[in-house]
């Protein structure tokens, strides 16, 4: 699972929609502070359309020993929106995997306060 999370972060940084889709189940859901609760496929289409460039520095990967398939990644995200606005923040993504090692649920946690206005203006 840790290798899949590292692949996810690489594909997220490079904006590789096809490869990121391959990591998720067909019915996967993303819970995002900016985009709401939506299907993973729709989330990544919107995110990549709104992104000019991004950089990711992985800090930690955590496992939940009490619940199989539950992992979290803690990382720094440097995000340049398509309108040129730049933001940097720490983020935690919580991954739920199924028995086939596909991500079924992704919960994204970060503070949007510093850049929500720039994001809303872009939309």
């Amino acid at each position: 699972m840790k290798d899949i999370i590292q692949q996810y972060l690489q594909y997220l940084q490079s904006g590789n929609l096809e490869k990121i889709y391959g990591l998720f189940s067909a019915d996967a859901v993303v819970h995002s502070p900016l985009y709401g609760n939506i299907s993973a496929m729709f989330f990544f289409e919107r995110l990549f359309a709104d992104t000019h460039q991004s950089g990711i520095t992985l800090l930690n990967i955590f496992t939940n020993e009490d619940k199989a398939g539950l992992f979290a990644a803690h990382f720094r995200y440097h995000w340049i929106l398509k309108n040129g606005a730049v933001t940097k923040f720490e983020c935690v993504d919580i991954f739920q995997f199924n028995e086939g090692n596909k991500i079924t649920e992704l919960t994204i946690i970060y503070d949007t306060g510093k850049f929500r206005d720039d994001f809303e203006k872009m939309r």
Side-chain angles (χ1 to χ4, degrees), residues 67-83:
K67 186 171 180 185
L70 190 64
F71 291 78
H74 173 217
F75 56 95
R76 286 193 187 97
Y77 194 55
H78 179 206
W79 190 21
I80 303 174
L81 302 174
K82 70 179 180 183
N83 66 359

Side-chain angles (χ1 to χ4, degrees), residues 3 22 43 48 52 63 73-74 76 91 93-94 106 108 117 119:
D3 289 341
F43 169 77
F48 292 162
H52 172 69
T63 68
H74 173 217
R76 286 193 187 97
C91 184
D93 282 3
I94 302 172
L106 175 65
I108 303 168
D117 287 342
F119 179 80

